[in-house]
Amino acid sequence: MAVVTSRIVLSSLSLLVALIHCFSPIHCSNTIGKGYRLISIEESPDGGFIGYLQVKQKNKIYGSDITTLRLFVKHETDARLRVHITDAKKQRWEVPYNLLPREQPPRVGKLIGKSRKSPITVQELSGSELIFSYTTDPFSFAVKRRSNGQTLFNTSSNSAFGEMVFKDQYLEISTSLPKDASIYGLGENSQANGIKLVPNEPYTLYTEDVSAINLNTDLYGSHPVYMDMRNVGGKPYAHAVLLLNSNGMDVFYRGTSLTYKVIGGVFDFYFVAGPSPLDVVDQYTSLIGRPAPMPYWSLGFHQCRWGYHNLSVVEDVVDNYKKAKIPLDVIWNDDDHMDGHKDFTLNPITYPRAKLLKFLDRIHKMGMKYVVINDPGIGVNASYGVYQRAMANDVFIKYEEKPFLAQVWPGAVHFPDFLNPKTVAWWGDEIRRFHEMVPIDGLWIDMNEVSNFCSGLCTIPKGKQCPSGEGPGWDCCLDCKNITKTRWDDPPYKINATGVIAPVGFKTIATSALHYNGVREYDAHSIYGFSETIATHKALQSIEGKRPFILSRSTFVGSGRYAAHWTGDNQGTWQSLQVSISTMLNFGIFGVPMVGSDICGFYPQPTEELCNRWIEVGAFYPFSRDHANYYSPRQELYQWDTVAESARNALGMRYKILPYLYTLNYEAHMTGAPIARPLFFSFPEFTECYGSSRQFLLGSSLMISPVLEQGKTEVEALFPPGSWYHMFDMTRAVVSKKGKRVILPAPLNFVNVHLYQNTILPMQRGGLISKEARTTPFSLVIAFPAGATEGYAKGKLYLDEDELPEMKLGNGQSTYIDFYASVGNGTVKMWSEVKEGKFALSKGWVIEKVSVLGLRGGGQASEIEINGSPVSNQEKKIEVSSKEHTYVVGLEEEGENKSVMVEVRGLEMLVGKDFNMSWKMGINGAN
């Protein structure tokens, strides 16, 4: 839930202002300074190198230059290089090391060696794959890839940009880029042109409560990282660059260069070498924190609405989903359950505790879960226990030694300071108290950019009610005056905040307000939601020792270690549907793989057709939730018969592939691999997919090709080279040696989902709740290249007690299986290798069916053996069938042989025990 109308910025105005901002002489000038000269560099005791830089010529544009800088360079791993530049004499603000644990550079002010002007003898610093080189006067540096000599980052000035600038409130540095580099990342924003960054669009990073319908505007999160994908001589290479800095910044990407303009902090660059996209996210999340393990139920479908006015409405929603036979795992409350919008309260009239507990007992027995919203603003109310305890513990952010006053849904509020250890303890206690009152299963933390309905220094008005109780509730009713008296409230460089160069304190906390230990909001603004997420995670984990589920609107570098994310207040429009894919894919790169958008749009009400198409996409978001605005008509999936049918189809498939999704969740937790991925993650050699944003992959092999435009009953899909099998009819295939675009039929209730060759996909029968779906028998779908005489496929499956805090093997309550299959010389073989099978055996899980796709020829399977025994020796009758594949684009066109699908049913192979199975395949009928 968020402010809807008051924060909407017209996209055309935003773009116009941003372009003026970028191309004005001041904001894009390359003559701000003459840069720095390197006066010394030598090895530091920790294996890095330390150098000192001296400004060449001072000027007053955006403030005074910092005279002497300290350079620290270190190869932290074989694939990660750090370049850290700060004031040589005093400590500057950095992202707190206790929030984002990482190596600390040597303390500033401590000179290395006998003289800071020692001779410069080192010319480059080489690592296993990344090489750091530099020029001394003016100082610039470059990062190269050892294996192919490519320059990845080069700050040497040219006609497009000038020298490095380092002032107290203005830092600027640029890099040149090759024209053909594909750049992704730099969020959070809504990118109308797709996931690939477009030159000369504004990219501002500063957390804001701005509706996601505003294109190319700084939104709820700040992720100053980009992935660079290049094809060098036909070979793909990916790397990433992180500027770890929480201060507001503009990033100007011009196609052949990229410039950072930052209003504080330090230059703290991390370069990760890849070279594959999956290598990049592995190396990146090894630095910022692996994505959080999610409970199994969180991968089910979620329903929410701002405007479930009483508990009876919520009960009806749950019952109506069941009647419509649409899967539902989690029911949510926006702030309707609260007493006067106040955190950690229940409305005694509309959500009486006794009735709520009875309802929760019923749904919990079914296996369903309950999640509620929580905003950071604590209502100023002397009779409110949460406020009383907060004041007693002195937990609020201060302005002039008093708690900073703002306005959100309860009216006047103060904001907790999550940088303060006392606040973290108080917050945990409040969550514990609320959990004892209402056994919630997760928390949704919203409005944590942080959002404020007012700006400036405010007081509670005398003689009038605030808010009045009339109107939408987001109009400022406090008495406020602007704060411009400090350079922190009115910095010399104006970032393009909210797309209109708004003041940095606009509709948020005053940037001269103070956190714990004197930290300014100016510096810590964009980590507010991150710090709240960490405190919330700690609190939830301590209550019952379960795996926490947290959904946060505001995110920062490292948030994925603790929380999921939804993309905020979108619209029920076709454009918002299209943009949702790009945003989702970006967050996978950011290390936040559990992500999705409000299905059918937050506001206004979508058309019936749009909601049909949206659930066909949203059923395959990693985080799949329908959510709507207070003022919009109801849009649960059962409200339209056609949407209900689309939901049963799409969510029905989701619930069958939950084992696969959960295994992807495990993979994300172990390696950072996104759950939803751009096509180029699996096909980096296929350059045509570098800009693809209308399709996506789940894992490496399951491709979603949805309808994203009104009135369409077919979709043009890009198929990378190979064989692709339709998941709703596995006899239908698309086969191409070189990759091609194909027009696919897509009637209203139909979504195209294809499985790629060389894959083994574990599935179950599905169900209406993940708990029941999880108890059903397994099946394996094995996809070979269509018609191949030889082939190989593999897959994996992770199973555990999904609410344990940790997701790992070795605890006696988890099992991991590798599946393998091959075809050759007319023989089909498949087998498994089980690690720690005890858990799976205890659940009694079995594989009941195997479907093998793409087998050459038209003959039948014969001489079937399971674990070395012929089928005739099996106690139960096993059924075997085969069907010939048909091709949308296929083997006839490619000049290959026909192929068949073979299914073996009636199996009872234990999931938790190694198995092997084989049969002979007749190929004499091949054409």
Side-chain angles (χ1 to χ4, degrees):
M1 178 184 71
V3 183
V4 178
T5 56
S6 65
R7 300 302 299 272
I8 295 176
V9 181
L10 293 176
S11 297
S12 57
L13 177 62
S14 301
L15 180 59
L16 176 63
V17 172
L19 291 174
I20 294 171
H21 181 64
C22 173
F23 294 108
S24 66
I26 293 179
H27 284 93
C28 287
S29 170
N30 60 2
T31 58
I32 290 177
K34 294 182 181 286
Y36 287 76
R37 68 171 63 89
L38 180 68
I39 57 176
S40 74
I41 189 168
E42 56 187 326
E43 192 168 357
S44 65
D46 64 355
F49 285 80
I50 285 182
Y52 290 92
L53 311 173
Q54 194 169 68
V55 69
K56 295 188 66 174
Q57 181 178 315
K58 293 184 178 182
N59 64 70
K60 295 293 186 181
I61 301 173
Y62 302 138
S64 299
D65 298 273
I66 293 177
T67 304
T68 309
L69 302 179
R70 202 276 307 276
L71 166 71
F72 175 67
V73 182
K74 186 178 181 181
H75 291 276
E76 293 188 335
T77 71
D78 288 346
R80 186 172 79 228
L81 170 70
R82 185 182 191 181
V83 178
H84 183 278
I85 302 173
T86 187
D87 189 329
K89 296 179 181 178
K90 66 179 183 178
Q91 188 72 38
R92 288 179 61 80
W93 165 257
E94 298 186 43
V95 175
Y97 284 82
N98 64 323
L99 290 187
L100 189 64
R102 60 202 188 278
E103 289 187 39
Q104 294 199 36
R107 293 183 62 184
V108 296
K110 181 180 179 182
L111 303 185
I112 303 296
K114 296 180 181 178
S115 170
R116 208 164 54 194
K117 293 189 177 181
S118 58
I120 296 172
T121 57
V122 182
Q123 295 303 315
E124 64 178 33
L125 312 174
S126 296
S128 299
E129 176 59 352
L130 297 177
I131 300 171
F132 175 89
S133 61
Y134 58 86
T135 57
T136 58
D137 190 3
F139 171 76
S140 67
F141 71 88
V143 178
K144 295 182 180 180
R145 188 184 293 280
R146 178 185 291 278
S147 58
N148 65 3
Q150 274 254 311
T151 298
L152 309 184
F153 199 88
N154 185 0
T155 69
S156 179
S157 65
N158 57 36
S159 59
F161 56 82
E163 305 295 346
M164 181 179 77
V165 181
F166 203 118
K167 301 169 185 281
D168 192 26
Q169 288 183 268
Y170 182 77
L171 286 67
E172 179 180 328
I173 197 166
S174 302
T175 179
S176 53
L177 292 169
K179 215 184 315 186
D180 58 353
S182 296
I183 308 297
Y184 312 89
L186 297 177
E188 176 179 10
N189 56 36
S190 296
Q191 296 171 199
N193 294 304
I195 187 174
K196 188 175 173 181
L197 297 191
V198 175
N200 301 321
E201 292 279 8
Y203 299 101
T204 297
L205 281 69
Y206 190 70
T207 60
E208 297 270 11
D209 177 7
V210 175
S211 170
I213 69 169
N214 294 285
L215 304 178
N216 299 319
T217 300
D218 49 321
L219 299 180
Y220 313 106
S222 176
H223 294 270
V225 61
Y226 69 85
M227 180 184 288
D228 182 332
M229 189 77 202
R230 305 179 189 180
N231 193 283
V232 183
K235 190 171 181 181
Y237 292 89
H239 69 273
V241 179
L242 166 68
L243 172 55
L244 186 55
N245 185 304
S246 64
N247 290 85
M249 68 179 78
D250 289 330
V251 184
F252 297 98
Y253 170 56
R254 299 184 182 86
T256 57
S257 67
L258 188 145
T259 298
Y260 299 90
K261 297 171 184 266
V262 194
I263 60 172
V266 302
F267 288 132
D268 194 3
F269 283 104
Y270 291 86
F271 302 89
V272 294
S276 75
L278 283 176
D279 290 334
V280 167
V281 291
D282 185 2
Q283 295 152 9
Y284 181 57
T285 57
S286 72
L287 167 67
I288 67 167
R290 299 297 193 192
M294 293 289 160
Y296 202 90
W297 56 263
S298 69
L299 293 168
F301 183 68
H302 304 243
Q303 177 62 51
C304 185
R305 175 180 169 79
W306 177 27
Y308 287 150
H309 300 297
N310 58 57
L311 180 58
S312 297
V313 178
V314 176
E315 291 175 314
D316 286 344
V317 170
V318 171
D319 292 342
N320 284 328
Y321 265 94
K322 189 173 183 179
K323 288 176 187 174
K325 296 184 178 178
I326 300 171
L328 179 65
D329 257 77
V330 191
I331 188 71
W332 294 56
N333 264 128
D334 208 307
D335 74 350
D336 302 290
H337 68 286
M338 295 180 183
D339 183 11
H341 307 285
K342 298 191 296 294
D343 283 346
F344 308 119
T345 63
L346 283 181
N347 187 312
I349 306 301
T350 56
Y351 282 81
R353 181 170 180 257
K355 289 186 177 181
L356 179 59
L357 291 178
K358 185 177 179 181
F359 167 70
L360 293 181
D361 183 61
R362 176 168 73 91
I363 68 168
H364 282 152
K365 286 177 179 175
M366 294 164 55
M368 288 185 62
K369 305 295 181 179
Y370 179 60
V371 177
V372 299
I373 199 169
N374 207 69
D375 294 341
I378 301 299
V380 177
N381 186 324
S383 63
Y384 172 33
V386 177
Y387 174 76
Q388 293 168 352
R389 291 185 290 273
M391 290 297 290
N393 284 281
D394 192 24
V395 302
F396 293 127
I397 292 170
K398 300 283 183 36
Y399 185 85
E400 294 181 343
E401 300 184 357
K402 296 179 181 179
F404 176 78
L405 188 71
Q407 180 191 329
V408 202
W409 301 113
V413 299
H414 298 319
F415 292 118
D417 174 13
F418 292 103
L419 299 184
N420 186 342
K422 287 171 60 178
T423 307
V424 175
W426 161 82
W427 186 251
D429 183 60
E430 295 301 338
I431 290 175
R432 178 192 59 78
R433 288 168 181 266
F434 184 66
H435 190 273
E436 289 175 354
M437 180 168 61
V438 183
I440 56 170
D441 299 291
L443 272 177
W444 169 20
I445 51 177
D446 192 12
M447 308 288 283
N448 52 352
E449 294 74 30
V450 70
S451 176
N452 181 0
F453 297 167
C454 302
S455 300
L457 181 61
C458 303
T459 57
I460 298 174
K462 295 179 180 180
K464 70 173 183 177
Q465 184 178 341
C466 174
S468 64
E470 300 177 358
W474 53 69
D475 293 329
C476 179
C477 57
L478 300 177
D479 290 336
C480 304
K481 61 181 180 181
N482 290 334
I483 306 175
T484 57
K485 62 184 179 183
T486 76
R487 61 192 180 103
W488 311 110
D489 300 295
D490 187 24
Y493 177 81
K494 318 299 183 192
I495 61 170
N496 190 29
T498 72
V500 292
I501 320 180
V504 288
F506 177 69
K507 296 293 184 76
T508 187
I509 299 170
T511 43
S512 55
L514 295 179
H515 292 254
Y516 180 68
N517 274 349
V519 171
R520 290 187 187 89
E521 170 67 11
Y522 180 88
D523 295 313
H525 172 81
S526 288
I527 62 170
Y528 188 91
F530 180 43
S531 62
E532 183 197 16
T533 301
I534 295 172
T536 305
H537 187 275
K538 181 178 180 180
L540 286 177
Q541 196 167 64
S542 69
I543 291 171
E544 291 185 321
K546 289 184 177 181
R547 190 176 300 174
F549 176 78
I550 301 166
L551 184 72
S552 179
R553 192 170 72 177
S554 185
T555 60
F556 186 70
V557 176
S559 285
R561 185 178 180 182
Y562 306 97
H565 174 65
W566 95 107
T567 63
D569 298 342
N570 58 4
Q571 270 190 317
T573 64
W574 293 92
Q575 184 179 59
S576 280
L577 170 59
Q578 294 160 16
V579 167
S580 74
I581 296 177
S582 298
T583 309
M584 170 184 68
L585 297 178
N586 263 328
F587 270 88
I589 294 172
F590 297 154
V592 189
M594 188 64 166
V595 60
S597 294
D598 287 345
I599 293 171
C600 297
F602 183 60
Y603 71 96
Q605 184 184 34
T607 64
E608 182 175 349
E609 180 192 2
L610 175 59
C611 204
N612 269 280
R613 293 310 191 185
W614 209 317
I615 187 56
E616 290 169 358
V617 180
F620 301 99
Y621 292 154
F623 172 65
S624 183
R625 185 185 71 160
D626 182 310
H627 181 42
N629 179 268
Y630 187 96
Y631 297 96
S632 299
R634 297 282 290 275
Q635 63 182 48
E636 292 84 6
L637 300 179
Y638 54 76
Q639 296 289 346
W640 300 273
D641 289 343
T642 62
V643 176
E645 183 180 350
S646 294
R648 285 189 289 269
N649 291 340
L651 288 172
M653 179 58 70
R654 181 187 182 92
Y655 274 61
K656 290 177 182 177
I657 65 169
L658 280 176
Y660 178 66
L661 290 175
Y662 193 64
T663 302
L664 292 176
N665 176 24
Y666 173 72
E667 187 178 344
H669 181 55
M670 300 306 291
T671 69
I675 296 173
R677 306 174 190 176
L679 270 58
F680 72 81
F681 265 60
S682 288
F683 304 96
E685 297 89 355
F686 188 49
T687 56
E688 193 173 347
C689 71
Y690 283 13
S692 178
S693 301
R694 299 174 72 86
Q695 298 165 259
F696 59 94
L697 296 168
L698 289 178
S700 61
S701 308
L702 208 59
M703 184 169 70
I704 320 300
S705 305
V707 171
L708 301 174
E709 294 173 332
Q710 185 175 1
K712 300 290 186 181
T713 56
E714 57 185 22
V715 63
E716 182 182 77
L718 176 63
F719 283 86
S723 300
W724 296 86
Y725 301 92
H726 204 296
M727 288 294 297
F728 288 90
D729 180 358
M730 294 180 193
T731 64
R732 295 180 61 81
V734 174
V735 181
S736 171
K737 288 183 177 179
K738 296 181 180 179
K740 61 178 60 180
R741 295 187 179 275
V742 179
I743 303 297
L744 300 172
L748 186 63
N749 304 123
F750 187 84
V751 60
N752 282 282
V753 182
H754 288 83
L755 180 67
Y756 190 58
Q757 66 185 39
N758 308 324
T759 302
I760 300 178
L761 179 70
M763 300 175 65
Q764 287 176 286
R765 291 182 184 176
L768 297 182
I769 298 175
S770 65
K771 182 181 179 180
E772 67 181 43
R774 205 177 184 202
T775 63
T776 62
F778 281 83
S779 61
L780 299 179
V781 180
I782 301 171
F784 289 121
T789 55
E790 293 186 353
Y792 187 77
K794 61 182 179 179
K796 49 200 168 188
L797 175 63
Y798 176 81
L799 303 160
D800 71 359
E801 284 289 358
D802 69 297
E803 292 195 273
L804 290 173
E806 295 187 34
M807 185 181 230
K808 64 178 184 179
L809 293 173
N811 57 12
Q813 298 186 76
S814 55
T815 296
Y816 183 87
I817 305 106
D818 283 306
F819 296 109
Y820 301 95
S822 66
V823 60
N825 299 319
T827 300
V828 178
K829 298 179 180 178
M830 61 205 72
W831 65 98
S832 70
E833 295 178 1
V834 179
K835 296 177 183 175
E836 303 182 27
K838 180 180 177 182
F839 172 73
L841 290 171
S842 72
K843 297 295 183 181
W845 281 312
V846 297
I847 298 167
E848 66 172 354
K849 182 175 74 170
V850 171
S851 303
V852 184
L853 315 180
L855 293 172
R856 186 179 182 189
Q860 293 287 329
S862 62
E863 300 180 36
I864 299 174
E865 291 188 358
I866 299 174
N867 296 328
S869 299
V871 161
S872 57
N873 293 342
Q874 304 295 316
E875 292 183 9
K876 284 208 168 187
K877 183 179 178 182
I878 293 177
E879 300 177 3
V880 182
S881 64
S882 64
K883 294 180 182 178
E884 190 170 318
H885 288 298
T886 57
Y887 302 99
V888 178
V889 174
L891 297 183
E892 299 88 348
E893 189 173 307
E894 299 287 340
E896 296 287 350
N897 295 294
K898 67 181 180 181
S899 63
V900 296
M901 173 181 78
V902 172
E903 283 194 345
V904 182
R905 297 177 297 278
L907 302 170
E908 289 188 346
M909 297 185 296
L910 290 169
V911 171
K913 190 174 181 180
D914 290 354
F915 75 84
N916 62 76
M917 181 177 178
S918 65
W919 67 73
K920 298 290 186 182
M921 189 68 207
I923 61 172
N924 294 332
N927 293 325

